[in-house]
């Protein structure tokens, strides 16, 4: 069996052959790898080829793949029960952990994906404030709920347009799309419509347009405008939670959002998301309050077991610092290699997330991200893949390092990169 035959077969029964679009290699071309197993920093495809993994299932695998303690916790949970649809003690333990670790979370509800978490956060913000307008930023991804699949309209300050067919214009008409890191545009939006804004939702470190760090003062400006106008500030930490820092980006930048969404790492590789925040807001959720939300598999015993086991290890002293040091070493060495090859390239990392850019300096906005050399990234991607290094198949994704990535993996990656930069230079 080859990746190619499997992809051909999949396309006969699954739209595009994949269950989430970016997996199809549409941006980079070529055949997606079909994987069979994974361990630590490595993946093996159906052809038996091994890859160093920098995708980490798009974020969750912060400990590396198939960590024995996580697998054992899932197996033990599975032997007890797969699902009750009724409360369990483990859900409370996980909720306690999240309240303890994430500074702004006083109450938390578990769901099954990041999308569910952000969708609920939006509904809750609207229900709590009695307002309709949601502010988001171009290039930030918050899952695929209708209100959030919106891109900027023409002109600097307009209501958005649906970024997907099937999203009514009327839905997008309540979403205002601004530029990330543009505190001035934000001020102007609040000056005009502050009394109608229910919430501002933001990736406090943007990881879905490659990696873009918040400009100094940007997150503070968000907090101040929201507080002054009675709008809620939602930090979407589905990606940054337990990646940027133990307490998320909110701990790193010392900002207290009203609501926080989590996912990815907190499920340790199983489907789990969470929505948490101020008690007075969270208690507007059913059954206490009028904002409806529910889920047959919410707080699923296997997902909660995986999450608890993962967080148990993530909180070990200095673990995240060690992964962050690996990410820094990797990106600094990649920049040095590119320079030697004369390739216009930059890179940076924060915590265990990193960005690679085919441009002279790391981008500070969505516009700057779009100015990177995509064709060159695509050639680099394939040159690395051919040498057994699995990067995200798109120039617009962040990369992830895990606790299982050590000096050997970094050295092997650099050796591959040396060749790849020369090939594309
Ligand atoms: C991945 C992601 C989501 C969506 O989570 P899913 O589990 O894929 O639904 C939402 N927000 C951010 C910031 C993400 O990175």
């Amino acid at each position: 069996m080859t990746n190619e035959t499997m992809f051909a077969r999949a396309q006969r029964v699954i739209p595009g052959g994949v269950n989430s679009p970016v997996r199809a290699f549409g941006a980079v071309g070529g055949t997606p790898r079909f994987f069979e197993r994974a361990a630590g920093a490595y993946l093996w495809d159906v052809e038996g080829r091994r890859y160093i993994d920098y995708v980490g299932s798009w974020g969750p695998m912060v400990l590396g793949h198939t960590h024995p303690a996580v697998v054992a916790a899932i197996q033990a949970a599975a032997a007890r029960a797969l699902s009750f649809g009724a409360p369990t003690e483990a859900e409370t333990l996980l909720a306690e952990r999240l309240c303890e670790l994430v500074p702004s979370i006083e109450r938390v509800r578990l769901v099954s994906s990041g999308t569910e978490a952000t969708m609920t956060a939006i509904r809750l913000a609207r229900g709590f404030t009695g307002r309709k307008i949601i502010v988001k930023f171009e290039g930030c991804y918050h899952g695929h709920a209708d209100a959030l699949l919106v891109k900027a309209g023409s002109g600097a300050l307009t209501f958005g347009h649906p970024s997907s067919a099937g999203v009514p214009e009327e839905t997008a008409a309540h979403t205002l799309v601004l530029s990330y890191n543009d505190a001035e545009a934000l001020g102007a939006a609040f000056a005009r419509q502050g009394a109608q804004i229910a919430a501002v939702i933001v990736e406090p470190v943007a990881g879905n347009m490659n990696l873009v760090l918040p400009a100094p003062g940007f997150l503070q400006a968000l907090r101040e405008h929201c507080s002054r106008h009675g709008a809620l500030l939602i930090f979407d930490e589905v990606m940054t939670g337990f990646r940027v820092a133990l307490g998320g980006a909110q701990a790193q930048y010392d900002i207290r959002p009203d609501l926080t969404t989590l996912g990815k790492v907190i499920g340790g590789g199983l489907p789990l998301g969470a929505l948490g925040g101020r008690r007075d807001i969270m208690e507007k959720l059913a059954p206490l309050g009028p904002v409806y939300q529910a889920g047959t598999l919410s707080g699923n015993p296997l997902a909660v077991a995986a999450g608890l086991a993962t967080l148990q290890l993530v909180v070990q002293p200095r673990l995240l610092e060690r992964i962050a040091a690996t990410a820094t070493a990797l990106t600094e060495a990649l920049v040095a290699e590119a320079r030697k090859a004369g390739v216009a390239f930059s890179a940076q990392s924060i915590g265990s997330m990193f960005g690679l850019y085919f441009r002279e300096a790391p981008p500070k906005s969505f516009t700057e991200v779009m100015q990177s050399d995509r064709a060159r990234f695509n050639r680099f991607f394939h040159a690395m893949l051919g040498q057994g290094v699995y990067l995200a198949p798109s120039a617009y994704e962040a990369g992830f390092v895990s606790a299982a990535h050590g000096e050997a993996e970094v050295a092997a990656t650099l050796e591959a990169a040396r060749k790849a930069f020369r090939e594309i230079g």
Side-chain angles (χ1 to χ4, degrees), residues 180-200:
Y180 192 77
N181 275 340
D182 188 346
E184 221 169 280
L186 183 76
F190 268 101
R192 276 183 307 137
Q193 285 161 306
Q196 293 139 265
I197 296 174
V200 175

Short mmCIF file of all heavy atoms in Angstrom, two decimals, residues 180-200:
data_model
loop_
_atom_site.label_atom_id
_atom_site.label_comp_id
_atom_site.label_asym_id
_atom_site.label_seq_id
_atom_site.Cartn_x
_atom_site.Cartn_y
_atom_site.Cartn_z
N TYR A 180 -5.09 42.47 13.00
CA TYR A 180 -4.37 42.06 14.20
C TYR A 180 -3.25 43.05 14.47
O TYR A 180 -2.57 43.51 13.54
CB TYR A 180 -3.80 40.66 13.97
CG TYR A 180 -3.27 39.98 15.21
CD1 TYR A 180 -4.14 39.42 16.13
CD2 TYR A 180 -1.90 39.89 15.44
CE1 TYR A 180 -3.66 38.78 17.26
CE2 TYR A 180 -1.41 39.24 16.57
CZ TYR A 180 -2.30 38.69 17.48
OH TYR A 180 -1.82 38.06 18.60
N ASN A 181 -3.08 43.41 15.70
CA ASN A 181 -2.02 44.34 16.14
C ASN A 181 -2.29 45.79 15.77
O ASN A 181 -1.41 46.63 15.94
CB ASN A 181 -0.63 43.92 15.59
CG ASN A 181 0.02 42.87 16.49
OD1 ASN A 181 -0.35 42.73 17.64
ND2 ASN A 181 0.98 42.14 15.95
N ASP A 182 -3.48 46.10 15.28
CA ASP A 182 -3.81 47.48 14.94
C ASP A 182 -4.71 48.06 16.05
O ASP A 182 -5.93 48.02 15.98
CB ASP A 182 -4.52 47.52 13.58
CG ASP A 182 -4.73 48.95 13.08
OD1 ASP A 182 -4.59 49.90 13.88
OD2 ASP A 182 -5.04 49.10 11.89
N ALA A 183 -4.06 48.60 17.08
CA ALA A 183 -4.80 49.12 18.24
C ALA A 183 -5.60 50.38 17.86
O ALA A 183 -6.63 50.67 18.46
CB ALA A 183 -3.84 49.42 19.38
N GLU A 184 -5.13 51.10 16.86
CA GLU A 184 -5.81 52.32 16.45
C GLU A 184 -7.18 52.02 15.84
O GLU A 184 -8.18 52.65 16.17
CB GLU A 184 -4.94 53.04 15.42
CG GLU A 184 -4.89 54.54 15.61
CD GLU A 184 -3.80 55.12 14.72
OE1 GLU A 184 -2.62 55.03 15.11
OE2 GLU A 184 -4.15 55.61 13.63
N ALA A 185 -7.20 51.04 14.94
CA ALA A 185 -8.46 50.64 14.31
C ALA A 185 -9.44 50.13 15.36
O ALA A 185 -10.65 50.38 15.29
CB ALA A 185 -8.21 49.56 13.26
N LEU A 186 -8.90 49.48 16.36
CA LEU A 186 -9.73 48.96 17.44
C LEU A 186 -10.37 50.12 18.20
O LEU A 186 -11.57 50.11 18.50
CB LEU A 186 -8.85 48.12 18.37
CG LEU A 186 -9.58 47.46 19.51
CD1 LEU A 186 -10.35 46.26 19.01
CD2 LEU A 186 -8.60 47.04 20.60
N GLY A 187 -9.56 51.13 18.50
CA GLY A 187 -10.06 52.31 19.20
C GLY A 187 -11.18 52.99 18.41
O GLY A 187 -12.21 53.37 18.96
N ALA A 188 -10.97 53.08 17.10
CA ALA A 188 -11.97 53.71 16.24
C ALA A 188 -13.27 52.91 16.24
O ALA A 188 -14.37 53.48 16.30
CB ALA A 188 -11.41 53.84 14.82
N ALA A 189 -13.15 51.59 16.19
CA ALA A 189 -14.35 50.74 16.18
C ALA A 189 -15.13 50.91 17.47
O ALA A 189 -16.36 51.03 17.46
CB ALA A 189 -13.95 49.28 15.98
N PHE A 190 -14.42 50.96 18.60
CA PHE A 190 -15.11 51.13 19.88
C PHE A 190 -15.72 52.53 19.99
O PHE A 190 -16.80 52.70 20.56
CB PHE A 190 -14.16 50.83 21.05
CG PHE A 190 -14.23 49.40 21.49
CD1 PHE A 190 -13.24 48.49 21.10
CD2 PHE A 190 -15.28 48.94 22.27
CE1 PHE A 190 -13.30 47.16 21.50
CE2 PHE A 190 -15.35 47.61 22.67
CZ PHE A 190 -14.36 46.72 22.28
N ALA A 191 -15.02 53.52 19.44
CA ALA A 191 -15.56 54.87 19.50
C ALA A 191 -16.88 54.95 18.73
O ALA A 191 -17.83 55.60 19.16
CB ALA A 191 -14.55 55.85 18.91
N ARG A 192 -16.97 54.25 17.61
CA ARG A 192 -18.19 54.29 16.82
C ARG A 192 -19.30 53.42 17.37
O ARG A 192 -20.46 53.77 17.37
CB ARG A 192 -17.89 53.83 15.37
CG ARG A 192 -17.35 54.92 14.45
CD ARG A 192 -17.18 54.37 13.07
NE ARG A 192 -16.38 53.15 13.13
CZ ARG A 192 -16.62 52.03 12.45
NH1 ARG A 192 -17.65 51.96 11.66
NH2 ARG A 192 -15.85 50.98 12.58
N GLN A 193 -18.91 52.18 17.80
CA GLN A 193 -19.96 51.19 18.09
C GLN A 193 -19.80 50.47 19.42
O GLN A 193 -20.38 49.42 19.61
CB GLN A 193 -19.95 50.14 16.96
CG GLN A 193 -20.55 50.66 15.70
CD GLN A 193 -20.13 49.82 14.52
OE1 GLN A 193 -18.94 49.62 14.30
NE2 GLN A 193 -21.08 49.33 13.77
N GLY A 194 -19.01 51.06 20.30
CA GLY A 194 -18.70 50.41 21.57
C GLY A 194 -19.92 49.86 22.31
O GLY A 194 -19.86 48.77 22.89
N ALA A 195 -21.02 50.58 22.26
CA ALA A 195 -22.19 50.17 23.04
C ALA A 195 -22.89 48.95 22.43
O ALA A 195 -23.76 48.36 23.07
CB ALA A 195 -23.18 51.33 23.14
N GLN A 196 -22.52 48.58 21.19
CA GLN A 196 -23.16 47.41 20.57
C GLN A 196 -22.24 46.19 20.53
O GLN A 196 -22.64 45.12 20.08
CB GLN A 196 -23.59 47.72 19.13
CG GLN A 196 -24.71 48.74 19.03
CD GLN A 196 -24.43 49.70 17.90
OE1 GLN A 196 -23.88 50.78 18.10
NE2 GLN A 196 -24.81 49.31 16.68
N ILE A 197 -21.01 46.36 20.98
CA ILE A 197 -20.06 45.25 20.88
C ILE A 197 -20.22 44.30 22.06
O ILE A 197 -20.05 44.69 23.22
CB ILE A 197 -18.61 45.77 20.76
CG1 ILE A 197 -18.45 46.57 19.45
CG2 ILE A 197 -17.61 44.62 20.82
CD1 ILE A 197 -17.10 47.25 19.28
N ALA A 198 -20.55 43.05 21.75
CA ALA A 198 -20.70 42.04 22.80
C ALA A 198 -19.34 41.54 23.25
O ALA A 198 -19.10 41.36 24.45
CB ALA A 198 -21.53 40.86 22.28
N ALA A 199 -18.44 41.31 22.29
CA ALA A 199 -17.16 40.71 22.66
C ALA A 199 -16.12 40.93 21.58
O ALA A 199 -16.44 41.11 20.41
CB ALA A 199 -17.33 39.20 22.89
N VAL A 200 -14.89 40.91 22.02
CA VAL A 200 -13.74 40.85 21.12
C VAL A 200 -13.11 39.48 21.34
O VAL A 200 -12.83 39.10 22.48
CB VAL A 200 -12.70 41.94 21.45
CG1 VAL A 200 -11.46 41.78 20.57
CG2 VAL A 200 -13.31 43.33 21.28
#
